[in-house]
Amino acid sequence: MSSLGGSEKVATIFFCIVLLFTTSVSSASLKVGFYKSSCPSAEMIVRKAVNKAVSKNPGLAAGLIRMHFHDCFVRGCDGSVLLDSTPGNPSEKESPVNNPSLRGFEVIDEAKAEIEAQCPQIVSCADVLAFAARDSAYKVGGINYAVPSGRRDGRVSLKDEPTLHLPPPFFNAKQLEENFARKGLSLDEMVTLSGAHSIGVSHCSSFSNRLYSFNATHPQDPSMDPEFARYLKTKCPPSSNKGSDPTVPLEVQTPNRLDNKYYKDLKNHRGLLTSDQTLFDSPSTKRVVKNNARYGANWGNKYAAAMVRMGTIDVLTGTKGEIRKHCRVVNYR
């Protein structure tokens, strides 16, 4: 991916969201500033690691945000996505949903190692990942928010679970709504969090059916802007279905900038995935898409709040789970 270059100099909008939760049982033990006394430098260490990595490779911002999402939707936000496989037990990393597309693990490893050097077994890997997702949004979108922390790390990671919990790229709006509702997230939050597709890339295999084999009547998805389809075919020729699987930006206008242009693309029928374009084509979500396209600052605030909400899904707190020494392996007992 190309460097952010001049876009890093563009003035960013600073959203500072401090949210108090009273409705979610899972978030009751999380609080902003959880490590203020026990490891006061923890969040700054993570931000420094993220800034360094994303400055070199802007695509890692999308990777870290996606990793947090994939973590929270599978077993809750417990760092299970970070665990390596062990003999006879392939982990979530090996799921086709995550392998080979999930990236940014080395950023978490670097931040965790520095934290461990200063505050041994105090800060969970799950919290490091939540901080990193926030810092990625700030680095490439100017969206900042306070992250309630105090999560603990799980000890189980199973290859087959991501496909059971994560929405595939062919879901329609109703299926997406139901998928997010099972995790306690609203329809508006689902549409708002989908705006993370403003950055990052997708493999051609995730949407090539819309170009070449949509249905018996229309080889090409008639809801896709024809000019956009022609562009995609230059990046994803039919031969790409065999062997190689190229990638294209999820949002072409500003692929390394987390902003609301994703929603403007949907209005212009330039959503890449079925699960993107369905948000504008479906009556239940069209209004939210239009509002997010029109009011960028408001979308940024909603995105921050929704990320905090997502970060409370089925968390382990108190004496549950553990604080891993290394994020890739559970502690020996």
Side-chain angles (χ1 to χ4, degrees):
M1 280 202 165
S2 62
S3 158
L4 278 176
S7 67
E8 283 191 328
K9 301 175 183 177
V10 176
T12 60
I13 301 171
F14 185 93
F15 299 115
C16 188
I17 309 295
V18 179
L19 301 176
L20 299 178
F21 292 94
T22 57
T23 58
S24 174
V25 174
S26 64
S27 68
S29 300
L30 301 181
K31 67 177 184 178
V32 173
F34 184 85
Y35 301 110
K36 186 176 181 180
S37 299
S38 58
C39 191
S41 60
E43 293 192 48
M44 187 54 63
I45 289 172
V46 176
R47 177 157 289 193
K48 182 180 176 183
V50 169
N51 286 346
K52 184 176 80 170
V54 174
S55 292
K56 294 179 180 177
N57 180 1
L60 285 175
L64 290 165
I65 292 171
R66 182 168 178 251
M67 191 188 297
H68 184 42
F69 168 59
H70 282 213
D71 185 37
C72 290
F73 266 54
V74 182
R75 293 188 166 266
C77 312
D78 69 343
S80 58
V81 74
L82 303 171
L83 288 170
D84 284 344
S85 299
T86 56
N89 179 41
S91 70
E92 292 171 31
K93 285 183 178 180
E94 303 308 318
S95 167
V97 177
N98 294 328
N99 184 21
S101 60
L102 213 57
R103 52 191 171 149
F105 294 106
E106 70 281 1
V107 183
I108 303 301
D109 291 340
E110 179 180 330
K112 176 64 170 174
E114 187 168 345
I115 288 172
E116 283 297 298
Q118 296 190 24
C119 322
Q121 282 193 272
I122 297 292
V123 181
S124 70
C125 296
D127 277 343
V128 171
L129 180 51
F131 295 148
R134 181 268 313 276
D135 297 337
S136 295
Y138 182 45
K139 176 68 173 172
V140 299
I143 300 174
N144 198 22
Y145 52 94
V147 175
S149 49
R151 300 167 189 78
R152 288 172 66 85
D153 298 321
R155 293 180 54 84
V156 176
S157 183
L158 303 174
K159 175 185 177 180
D160 294 337
E161 291 194 337
T163 53
L164 300 176
H165 296 277
L166 291 163
F170 54 79
F171 262 15
N172 61 35
K174 183 63 176 175
Q175 292 170 312
L176 289 169
E177 179 182 5
E178 292 170 351
N179 178 271
F180 277 65
R182 284 193 290 272
K183 303 300 178 182
L185 297 171
S186 70
L187 180 69
D188 191 288
E189 287 169 329
M190 179 272 287
V191 179
T192 296
L193 289 170
S194 295
H197 281 182
S198 160
I199 54 176
V201 299
S202 173
H203 285 274
C204 292
S205 59
S206 294
F207 59 86
S208 59
N209 66 302
R210 299 186 68 202
L211 302 177
Y212 302 110
S213 57
F214 186 65
N215 59 33
T217 308
H218 301 283
Q220 182 175 300
D221 186 345
S223 72
M224 182 180 285
D225 172 62
E227 183 181 344
F228 185 51
R230 284 193 294 272
Y231 160 77
L232 292 176
K233 286 178 177 179
T234 66
K235 302 296 183 182
C236 304
S239 59
S240 68
N241 295 330
K242 301 173 184 178
S244 66
D245 193 5
T247 60
V248 298
L250 283 159
E251 192 274 295
V252 178
Q253 295 185 66
T254 54
N256 292 322
R257 186 77 188 161
L258 182 61
D259 55 29
N260 70 327
K261 288 188 175 64
Y262 163 83
Y263 300 101
K264 297 176 182 179
D265 276 355
L266 300 187
K267 289 178 62 180
N268 292 323
H269 300 281
R270 290 182 166 229
L272 190 63
L273 308 177
T274 297
S275 57
D276 291 325
Q277 192 58 50
T278 186
L279 300 180
F280 183 73
D281 296 343
S282 302
S284 63
T285 50
K286 176 175 273 191
R287 180 186 58 82
V288 183
V289 170
K290 286 183 173 180
N291 286 338
N292 288 347
R294 185 175 182 182
Y295 305 109
N298 187 55
W299 167 75
N301 282 315
K302 290 201 307 174
Y303 173 85
M307 284 293 286
V308 173
R309 282 264 295 153
M310 186 187 77
T312 70
I313 296 173
D314 296 334
V315 294
L316 302 175
T317 59
T319 58
K320 296 178 181 178
E322 65 183 18
I323 304 296
R324 285 183 219 140
K325 295 178 183 177
H326 303 283
C327 293
R328 294 175 180 264
V329 295
V330 298
N331 295 338
Y332 293 109
R333 291 184 173 180

